[in-house]
């Protein structure tokens, strides 16, 4: 193909590309700058030069990497934001700057690469670039008919690689076929799915079919149902090497269009059950079906580690790994379909049983002979955790949450009792972890049989194996969370009788986990229930905390951290009763704060701060006052010490501890405001540390301490530590203002100036919630101190009303209405001027119309989705209630009250009937 750009540009580009892949940072950096400079001056020439390079570079295998690289670079650059180009509609890309003739030439070059590139690996990079170009072109109203024609032609070619790429194109750009006759599309896809020469073609055709069905409208979908038969027919004949990829490719369709699989449930179960179940299925429990979990079959001779290893052992290991990958992919397929359409799983006999049993089986497959390493490991750094069967435990949890107790508990407890009685510690461990995994999803039904569950679990605290006792602690802790208050109220005697002795278990990992389980217990326990057990609990926790208390052994750091954390929660739950233990514990904590200054003690120091603050609140200011100045001086010293960037816990814990001391001392905390407020206001004013990515390729692996979210069509990376600290700062401002009232007046203006824009801090809901609570508290502070101005009130109400108008989250909308109502209670209804009232009425009308439209659309949804949609409306109901209360404050007969009732009548109102929701489990 003749050159489309001057020879000198091609020559220069060749050198730039060569420099970009060099290891020398300076040369590579200069090459990157050269690319940016050329694109800023003549983007069309250099983008075309990249495309030309991909087809004109010599075709030796050694150069295939450079051709691939040029295509990858072209793909990334085409839709990169053009420097300084921004419009009302959004950012302009280099593609948007290309003239029409350049676009036509670019398309022609890429089509030539598709049809003439001899190497599959390079051609696949061409496919990726072509798909990006086609999708973006079509979204801008530019069709690519030549690509459509060429792709169909490639499906007919005798070359396997070209046929595969054709279906890759259909997969990456389903719009190529969306405007064609459905029968013609299905014929082409069936041909690919039934390709007898290549499994790669069949896989590409399967992915294309999934993309097509996902993109179909309802009418097209109804005409395409028959495509599922050849799609599913690709599975049975596949070896494990390929089966995992096929199952994983099908799984997204279970979430987007689960009803497509309804006619195929029996056939799917028949096929998938053999993949997720053990190879020998001779009994009613996992223990009989596979007596030795973790081995490749039920019986092996000679056993591992005895006899000689054959040369085929490596191949057998690989086969077992492939089989395990297929097993997990098949289970993921079933669980994803169950989550998307629970009714399908409930109606398909044996489907739930198969998933539950497969999950239990997998959970029992822990590595043997690793106890010593497990006992020595710090739980937060346990390398063995990588070998834990998380996939199976999470699958069981997801199934329970999707189907509920009536569907999951019977099959689960068909196996769990015999697992708990098994000679193999791994199955006893798995049985306990299984109860913990299903507790959340089955809690409503489990509570009816909770006594039997407790009777099964508590004897396991005396098991001979430490990992089983550890699992018993985990199980009880999870039950205390998922059946909060119920289990604590009914079965505290049995649970305390099991947990308290375990605090003295000989293994640090076990007794620290028992302490962790006590935290979960304390979060749902009544004070009077806890008090009789307080002395033995505190006594044992102090033993865990105090190094050298027993036999001169050094207590592990994570044990001390856990003991302090549990003491804090016990103090919080027992309230003033904890005062009798105050003199035993507070000196220890103060000692930690004085001396725990090295990097390996940062976490211990943070936990000691938290504990001291909670104990101060629990015992009250009269008991705490004697140590208050000492604790405050230590915190000031820590606050003023040089900051170690590796100590990520300190800022949050320091801010939170100051808040707890304020709660404990009340108005006596006022003299310390000049010390605590400057860093607090600084943290509250922090901007979100964000990175904008142009596409997924820019992200790579998520950096530690960062999260990515999708916002306005862009991928945004956020440093979570910064916004978590900002949220903690706002929560603390709420505490200071609520506790000190008018004494907080010197900081009223600054706090209000931070709160109003924080209502729109979309990176963290906690910041917005705290800001909405703070505003009326600041009104009260200003009113008490005589520092509140009408300008402050008007600006605050205006910002709240604007936020109400723009808010899309019904949960936070409720908070905004509450903030406005609470503010009016402080300053009086007359403070809401006619202009503000008019704006509020318009904002409320807008929200009512939005709710009405949503509910009308939901009324058209399918019956099986009603429960989930009704839960959404329950959240909206809170907003409607707060909206209604505010309107009644303004006028008991306000005309919009009728509109609120009308919108409410459009909902399902299913949340009022627990029995109805429980009927499905």
């Amino acid at each position: 193909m003749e050159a489309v750009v001057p020879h000198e540009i091609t020559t220069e580009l060749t050198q730039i590309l060569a420099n970009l892949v060099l290891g020398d940072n300076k040369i590579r950096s200069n090459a990157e700058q050269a690319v940016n400079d050329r694109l800023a001056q003549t983007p069309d020439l250099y983008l075309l030069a990249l495309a030309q390079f991909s087809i004109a570079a010599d075709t030796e295998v050694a150069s295939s990497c450079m051709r691939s690289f040029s295509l990858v670079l072209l793909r990334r650059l085409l839709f990169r934001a053009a420097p300084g180009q921004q419009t009302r509609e959004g950012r302009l890309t280099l593609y948007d700057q290309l003239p029409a003739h350049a676009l036509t030439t670019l398309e022609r070059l890429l089509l030539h690469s598709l049809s003439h590139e001899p190497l599959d690996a390079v051609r696949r990079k061409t496919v990726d670039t072509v798909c990006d170009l086609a999708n973006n072109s079509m979204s801008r109203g530019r069709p690519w008919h030549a690509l459509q024609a060429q792709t169909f032609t490639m499906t007919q070619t005798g070359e396997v690689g070209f046929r595969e790429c054709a279906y890759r194109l259909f997969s990456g750009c389903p719009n190529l076929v969306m405007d064609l006759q459905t029968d013609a599309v299905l014929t082409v896809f069936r041909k690919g799915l039934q390709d007898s020469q290549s499994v790669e073609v069949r896989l590409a055709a399967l992915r294309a079919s999934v993309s097509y069905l996902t993109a179909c409208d309802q009418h097209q979908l109804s005409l395409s149902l028959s495509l599922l038969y050849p799609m599913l027919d690709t599975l049975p004949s596949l070896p494990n090497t390929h089966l995992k990829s096929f199952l994983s490719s099908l799984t997204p369709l279970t979430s987007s269009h689960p009803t497509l699989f309804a006619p195929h449930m029996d056939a799917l179960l028949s096929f998938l059950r053999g993949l997720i179940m053990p190879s020998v299925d001779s009994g009613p429990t996992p223990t009989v079906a596979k007596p030795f979990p973790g081995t490749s079959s039920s019986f092996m001779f000679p056993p591992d580690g005895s006899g000689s290893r054959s040369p085929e052992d490596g191949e057998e290991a690989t086969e077992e790994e492939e089989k395990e990958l297929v097993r997990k992919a098949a289970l993921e397929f079933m669980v994803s379909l169950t989550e998307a359409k629970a009714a399908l799983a409930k109606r398909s006999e044996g489907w739930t049983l198969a998933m539950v049993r497969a999950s239990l089986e997998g959970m029992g497959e822990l590595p043997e002979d690793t106890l010593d390493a497990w006992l020595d490991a710090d739980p937060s750094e346990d390398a063995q955790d990588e070998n834990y069967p998380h996939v199976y435990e999470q699958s069981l949890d997801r199934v329970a949450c999707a189907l509920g107790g009536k569907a999951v508990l019977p099959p689960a407890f068909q196996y769990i009792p015999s697992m708990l009685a098994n000679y193999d510690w791994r199955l006893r461990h798995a049985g306990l972890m299984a109860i913990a995994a299903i507790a959340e999803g089955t809690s409503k039904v489990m509570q009816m049989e909770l006594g039997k569950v407790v009777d099964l679990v508590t004897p396991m605290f005396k098991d001979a194996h430490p990992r089983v006792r550890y699992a018993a602690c985990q199980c009880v802790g999870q039950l205390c969370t998922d059946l909060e208050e119920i289990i604590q109220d009914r079965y505290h005697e049995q649970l305390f009788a099991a947990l308290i002795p375990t605090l003295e278990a000989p293994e640090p990992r076990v007794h620290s986990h028992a302490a962790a389980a006590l935290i979960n217990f304390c979060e749902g326990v009544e004070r009077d229930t806890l008090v009789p057990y307080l002395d033995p609990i505190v006594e044992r926790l102090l033993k865990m905390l105090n190094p050298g208390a027993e036999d001169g052994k050094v207590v592990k750091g994570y044990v001390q951290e856990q003991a302090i954390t549990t003491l804090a929660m016990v103090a919080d739950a027992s309230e003033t009763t904890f005062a009798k233990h105050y003199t035993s514990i507070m000196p220890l904590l103060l000692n930690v704060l004085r001396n725990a200054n090295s990097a390996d003690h940062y976490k211990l120091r943070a936990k000691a701060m938290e504990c001291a603050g909670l104990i101060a609140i629990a015992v009250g200011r009269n008991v705490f006052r004697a140590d208050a100045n000492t604790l405050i001086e230590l915190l000031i010293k820590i606050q003023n010490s040089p900051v170690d960037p590796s100590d990520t816990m300190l800022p949050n814990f320091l801010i939170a501890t100051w808040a707890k001391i304020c709660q404990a001392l009340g108005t006596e905390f006022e003299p310390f405001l000049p010390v605590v407020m400057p860093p607090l206001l600084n943290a509250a004013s922090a901007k979100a540390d964000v990175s904008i990515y142009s596409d997924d390729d820019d992200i790579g692996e998520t950096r530690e301490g960062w999260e990515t979210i999708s916002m306005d069509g862009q991928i945004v990376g956020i440093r979570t530590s910064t916004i978590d600290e900002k949220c903690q700062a706002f929560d603390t401002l709420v505490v200071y203002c609520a506790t000190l009232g008018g004494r907080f007046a010197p900081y009223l203006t600054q706090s209000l100036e931070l709160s109003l824009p924080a209502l729109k801090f979309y990176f963290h809901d906690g910041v917005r919630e705290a800001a909405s609570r703070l505003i009326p508290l600041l009104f009260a502070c200003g009113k008490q101190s005589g520092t509140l101005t009408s300008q402050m009130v008007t600006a605050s109400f205006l910002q709240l009303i604007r936020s109400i108008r723009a808010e899309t989250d019904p949960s936070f909308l409720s908070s905004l209405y509450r903030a406005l109502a609470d503010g009016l209670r402080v300053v009086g209804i007359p403070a809401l001027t006619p202009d503000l009232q008019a704006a509020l009425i318009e904002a409320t009308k807008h929200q009512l119309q939005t709710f009405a439209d949503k509910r009308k659309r939901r009324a058209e949804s399918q019956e099986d989705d009603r429960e989930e949609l009704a839960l959404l409306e329950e959240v909206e109901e809170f907003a409607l209630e707060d909206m209604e209360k505010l309107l009644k404050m303004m006028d008991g007969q306000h005309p919009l009250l009728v509109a609120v009732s009308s919108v409410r009548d459009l909902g399902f109102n299913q949340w009022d009937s627990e029995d109805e929701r429980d009927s499905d489990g």
Side-chain angles (χ1 to χ4, degrees), residues 458-707:
T458 49
M460 308 308 291
F461 280 86
K462 298 179 180 178
D463 196 278
H465 201 285
R467 293 196 67 173
V468 176
R469 283 181 273 124
Y470 178 95
C473 296
Q474 175 69 24
C475 182
V476 165
Q478 195 63 49
L479 288 171
C480 287
T481 296
D482 294 327
L483 293 117
E484 188 172 315
E485 296 182 5
I486 298 169
I487 193 168
Q488 287 94 329
D489 179 53
R490 296 182 194 170
Y491 303 104
H492 56 268
E493 289 184 21
Q494 295 96 310
L495 296 183
F496 275 132
L499 280 171
I500 292 175
T502 311
L503 293 171
E504 296 183 295
E507 306 87 2
R509 287 199 71 171
V510 177
H511 62 237
S512 70
H513 210 50
L518 269 175
I519 290 179
N520 299 50
F521 189 98
C522 288
E523 286 176 344
V525 72
E526 291 292 332
R527 172 187 165 279
D528 292 342
T529 302
L530 176 61
V531 166
Y533 304 95
L534 194 58
D535 291 352
I537 290 173
V538 173
E539 177 189 340
R540 285 160 177 79
L541 289 173
L542 285 173
K543 282 184 183 178
M544 290 168 59
L545 177 63
N546 192 2
E550 291 183 35
D551 306 326
K553 293 180 180 177
V554 177
V555 178
K556 290 181 181 287
Y558 71 82
V559 175
Q560 291 180 299
E561 292 160 9
Q562 186 60 66
I564 285 177
T565 306
T566 305
L567 279 169
M569 288 304 301
V570 170
D572 189 44
S574 58
E575 299 171 1
T576 54
T577 312
F578 198 79
K580 64 184 290 189
H581 300 287
Y582 177 84
T583 54
S584 302
I585 297 169
M586 187 60 83
L588 289 174
L589 298 175
L590 296 174
N591 192 48
V592 170
L593 294 178
R594 284 190 192 97
N595 301 309
N597 299 314
S598 60
D600 55 343
H601 289 129
Y602 284 161
K603 186 174 181 181
L604 182 66
R605 183 174 68 178
K607 295 292 186 181
M609 283 183 203
E610 177 184 50
C611 186
L614 283 170
I615 287 175
I617 294 173
V619 301
R621 78 180 73 176
N622 291 333
V623 175
F624 171 58
R625 190 180 282 115
D627 293 304
N629 284 333
T630 305
L631 177 57
I632 288 169
E633 286 170 8
L634 287 169
L635 292 179
I636 292 172
K637 182 180 177 182
I638 292 169
Q639 180 172 289
N640 294 335
S641 297
V643 177
D644 183 346
S646 68
D647 189 4
T648 55
M649 296 180 71
L650 180 61
N652 269 355
F653 275 80
L654 195 55
I655 290 171
T657 303
W658 282 124
K660 292 178 178 67
I661 293 173
C662 177
Q663 287 175 280
L665 293 178
T667 56
E668 293 176 25
F669 186 76
E670 183 188 1
F672 304 105
L673 282 178
V675 174
V676 300
M677 284 304 293
L680 183 67
L681 292 170
N682 187 54
S685 62
K687 305 296 182 185
D689 190 353
V690 300
S691 294
I692 308 292
Y693 303 108
S694 57
D695 56 46
D696 290 347
D697 291 337
D698 288 335
I699 301 171
E701 293 188 9
T702 303
R703 289 176 285 175
E704 186 175 354
W706 288 70
E707 287 182 3

Side-chain angles (χ1 to χ4, degrees), residues 153-357:
T153 301
M154 289 169 66
T155 64
Q156 310 296 325
T157 182
E159 292 287 335
V160 164
F162 286 92
R163 295 203 302 278
E164 182 204 3
C165 280
Y167 289 105
R168 280 176 173 264
L169 283 163
F170 287 137
S171 175
C173 185
N175 280 331
L176 288 172
V177 297
M178 299 313 293
D179 60 345
L180 301 178
Q181 286 290 326
T182 302
D183 287 345
V185 175
L186 298 187
T187 300
V188 171
F189 284 173
R190 284 193 197 99
K191 184 175 180 180
L193 292 166
Q194 295 164 355
D195 193 296
S196 59
Q197 294 182 316
S198 170
V199 69
E200 285 79 14
V201 173
R202 297 201 297 276
L203 178 59
L206 180 66
R207 289 171 174 163
S209 301
V210 170
S211 293
Y212 168 71
L213 292 171
T214 303
C216 278
D217 60 32
Q218 281 300 118
H219 177 67
Q220 285 174 303
L221 204 59
S222 66
L223 299 176
S224 305
L225 298 178
S226 62
L227 188 58
L228 258 289
Y229 289 94
M231 289 170 68
L232 297 177
D233 283 344
T234 61
L235 302 176
S237 61
L238 290 169
N240 286 335
T241 313
H242 299 293
L243 186 50
K244 187 260 180 188
S245 297
F246 276 70
L247 286 167
S248 298
S249 299
L250 261 176
T251 299
L253 194 60
T254 64
S255 298
S256 63
H257 292 80
T259 51
L260 291 175
F261 296 91
H264 308 278
M265 292 296 287
D266 291 342
L268 281 169
L269 178 60
S270 178
F271 173 66
L272 295 169
R273 183 160 42 196
L275 301 179
I276 64 173
M277 287 297 192
S279 53
V280 176
D281 188 10
S282 58
T285 72
T287 58
V288 177
K290 199 167 185 181
F292 301 97
T295 58
S296 58
S297 61
S298 293
F299 303 98
M300 275 181 66
F301 188 84
D304 287 346
S306 64
S308 59
R309 295 184 67 84
S310 72
E312 293 151 358
D313 281 344
E315 292 179 17
E316 289 178 3
T318 302
E319 288 176 9
E320 284 303 314
E321 288 169 4
E322 289 175 349
K323 184 177 179 182
E324 180 63 14
L325 289 173
V326 168
R327 182 180 171 196
K328 290 175 179 174
L331 185 58
E332 176 61 29
F333 178 95
M334 295 181 73
V335 174
S336 295
L337 183 53
T338 301
E339 288 178 315
K341 205 74 171 174
L344 285 181
K346 289 178 181 178
R347 287 198 295 259
S348 179
E349 187 176 353
W351 185 275
T352 303
L353 177 64
M355 290 187 296
V356 169
R357 183 169 174 185

Side-chain angles (χ1 to χ4, degrees), residues 38 45 250 466 564 733 833 859:
R38 305 305 183 273
L45 278 179
L250 261 176
I564 285 177
L733 286 171
T833 64

Side-chain angles (χ1 to χ4, degrees), residues 14-46:
T14 304
Q15 185 59 55
I16 290 174
L17 290 174
N19 290 344
L20 282 171
V21 297
L22 288 178
D24 187 298
N25 286 337
K26 186 174 181 181
I27 294 175
R28 189 170 65 247
S29 179
N30 289 336
E32 290 171 356
Q33 187 58 49
V35 170
N36 290 331
D37 291 343
R38 305 305 183 273
L39 290 174
Q41 297 163 11
T42 52
D44 50 342
L45 278 179
Y46 279 87

Side-chain angles (χ1 to χ4, degrees), residues 1-7 10-11 13-14 17 48-60 63-64 66-68 70-71 109-110 112-113 116-118 122 126:
M1 187 173 181
E2 64 182 53
V4 298
V5 295
H7 176 71
T10 304
T11 303
L13 180 67
T14 304
L17 290 174
L48 290 176
L50 278 171
Q52 182 173 286
F53 183 91
S54 72
I55 61 176
D58 69 56
T59 55
E60 294 178 9
S63 297
S64 66
M66 293 306 296
R67 296 205 306 283
S68 294
S70 69
L71 288 160
L109 289 169
L110 289 173
H112 186 276
S113 177
H116 291 82
E117 171 57 54
V122 180
T126 306

